[in-house]
Amino acid sequence: MQHEIVVGNFPAYRPRRLRSTPALRAMTAETELSARNLVLPLFVRSGTKFRHPVVSMPGVFQLSPDEAVREASLAFKEGIPGVILFGIPDKKDEKASGAYARNGIIQRTVRLLKSEIPQLLVITDVCLCEYMSHGHCGLVEHGSTKTRILNDPSLKILARVAVSHAEAGSDLIAPSDMMDGRVRAIRSALDGKGFEDVPIMSYAAKYASAFYGPFREAAQSAPQFGDRRTYQMYAGNTDEAMREVAQDIAEGADIVMVKPALAYLDIVRRVKDQFQYPTAAYAVSGEYSMIKAASERGWVDERAITIESHLAMRRAGADIILTYSARALAGWLKE
Ligand code: PBG
């Protein structure tokens, strides 16, 4: 017996890989990566036939609504069931009024997507940073000694944004602002307007992360002063993530998200094990751009490393992966 070694009186068996054929390996694979688990993020701004490359994210564009429809229908045909929308408004202000305008960029794009591709799952990110002149995710008060984010007053605006998305036809509301109590505020506002059936995917465990760097160029949402550490989580904490997720579930979240993904797979696993809830992971801009930059130099194999890292997210427990690589992955997985 080639694989048996004897230790003392007890036979010990060296763990080994399955004696297998490719068919057996496929049948017994514990984790599957498939386009059906992926969501493609899209950045939209007004205009027509507009496609503006995001320099820090090769292959990603700011799109006008018609171009977003084109991109989404290609993705949908490739087997990607959903998109998540981020808007770049024409004008920013200190109230984020572009975020809830009936004819805002998101509201217009959602209506167009739902009329052109009714089967597509349209997810809308609810946040204020892209719409605020200061780039923060909540209302800001400049006091005489310090500047603060006003948590509770921000909730009213966030709820208003969510309702305006639902009115436009959003299939899933995804608050990413990290204000406390936002899931409850959004849930009750949606229910109050007759949108009891519109689910919420909360960015429940969202870390203050340098991996968001390229996104802030794409969405033009970099904070103009300070940073997001008072409302996003510290990278060293895991118990705090459990409390955040428990709170969001208690407030009515249907799906919980961990963000970023790759550097936080322990959190994805802990969330999945502890709550057994539909769990999403967001492979954020920095994760995407690092792979792009290294593969452009020939230092890593883009295809292999992209598949491997997304497979790892699935293995960690992510049911849904939001990723800029969705279309590339769909193509590679089909081959
Ligand atoms: C906030 C938001 C951010 C991302 C998604 N929603 C940026 C932030 O918190 O600064 C980051 C996504 C990415 O990096 O790909 N609206």
Side-chain angles (χ1 to χ4, degrees):
M1 278 277 271
Q2 198 187 340
H3 292 285
E4 185 181 321
I5 47 175
V6 176
V7 181
N9 295 322
F10 305 98
Y13 295 93
R14 201 154 57 111
R16 52 157 302 163
R17 287 183 297 279
L18 186 67
R19 291 179 184 85
S20 67
T21 65
L24 264 181
R25 273 198 295 280
M27 288 172 90
T28 57
E30 290 173 48
T31 308
E32 198 188 345
L33 178 62
S34 143
R36 78 182 168 84
N37 303 103
L38 306 180
V39 169
L40 176 68
L42 296 176
F43 298 100
V44 291
R45 58 184 302 166
S46 52
T48 45
K49 295 208 178 346
F50 179 84
R51 245 181 119 77
H52 178 71
V54 177
V55 174
S56 56
M57 300 177 74
V60 174
F61 298 83
Q62 294 177 345
L63 305 168
S64 51
D66 55 319
E67 287 290 322
V69 168
R70 214 161 65 106
E71 186 76 15
S73 61
L74 290 171
F76 190 69
K77 285 190 197 112
E78 292 157 358
I80 297 158
V83 297
I84 182 164
L85 303 182
F86 296 97
I88 299 134
D90 294 334
K91 276 201 295 283
K92 298 174 192 256
D93 57 29
E94 303 251 314
K95 302 179 301 191
S97 54
Y100 50 78
R102 224 194 86 75
N103 253 332
I105 181 65
I106 292 296
Q107 292 77 1
R108 279 187 283 137
T109 308
V110 171
R111 285 196 292 267
L112 191 62
L113 283 168
K114 291 307 295 181
S115 74
E116 301 284 319
I117 323 166
Q119 310 273 51
L120 178 76
L121 179 82
V122 177
I123 309 171
T124 51
D125 181 269
V126 170
C127 197
L128 307 183
C129 60
E130 298 106 292
Y131 306 89
M132 289 287 202
S133 38
H134 48 61
H136 278 288
C137 304
L139 285 166
V140 167
E141 177 189 68
H142 297 282
S144 52
T145 54
K146 59 178 166 194
T147 297
R148 317 185 286 153
I149 304 288
L150 301 174
N151 190 93
D152 292 6
S154 302
L155 299 181
K156 283 197 193 71
I157 307 185
L158 291 162
R160 191 167 168 189
V161 175
V163 167
S164 77
H165 290 181
E167 281 167 351
S170 172
D171 295 307
L172 177 57
I173 303 290
S176 69
D177 54 282
M178 287 297 274
M179 297 299 125
D180 292 330
R182 72 211 200 278
V183 175
R184 172 167 303 149
I186 289 172
R187 185 71 271 159
S188 69
L190 289 173
D191 292 352
K193 295 281 183 182
F195 296 112
E196 294 93 344
D197 293 334
V198 176
I200 296 175
M201 172 168 74
S202 92
Y203 290 63
K206 180 174 178 183
Y207 285 85
S209 172
F211 284 102
Y212 306 151
F215 173 95
R216 292 178 186 167
E217 179 204 326
Q220 295 169 5
S221 64
Q224 299 303 300
F225 49 82
D227 55 46
R228 304 209 203 290
R229 280 180 297 181
T230 61
Y231 43 102
Q232 298 182 350
M233 290 175 39
Y234 167 57
N237 289 354
T238 75
D239 290 341
E240 187 184 2
M242 297 304 108
R243 294 196 298 273
E244 290 279 2
V245 172
Q247 182 67 32
D248 283 5
I249 288 173
E251 292 183 18
D254 299 277
I255 303 171
V256 289
M257 193 199 297
V258 174
K259 179 185 171 192
L262 209 46
Y264 296 83
L265 293 187
D266 57 324
I267 309 297
V268 175
R269 170 48 63 198
R270 238 189 123 181
V271 166
K272 188 65 185 173
D273 284 349
Q274 181 152 334
F275 300 100
Q276 285 144 32
Y277 244 65
T279 304
Y282 196 140
V284 301
S285 55
E287 302 180 44
Y288 174 84
S289 300
M290 286 196 306
I291 293 178
K292 278 286 177 190
S295 57
E296 274 173 11
R297 295 182 176 205
W299 290 350
V300 298
D301 175 341
E302 181 180 7
R303 173 192 157 124
I305 210 168
T306 305
I307 292 176
E308 181 179 337
S309 50
H310 289 76
L311 185 64
M313 293 165 205
R314 295 273 297 133
R315 190 194 67 230
D319 302 297
I320 299 171
I321 304 173
L322 297 89
T323 176
Y324 303 99
S325 307
R327 289 196 57 203
L329 279 167
W332 290 325
L333 294 170
K334 208 165 282 169
E335 284 165 17

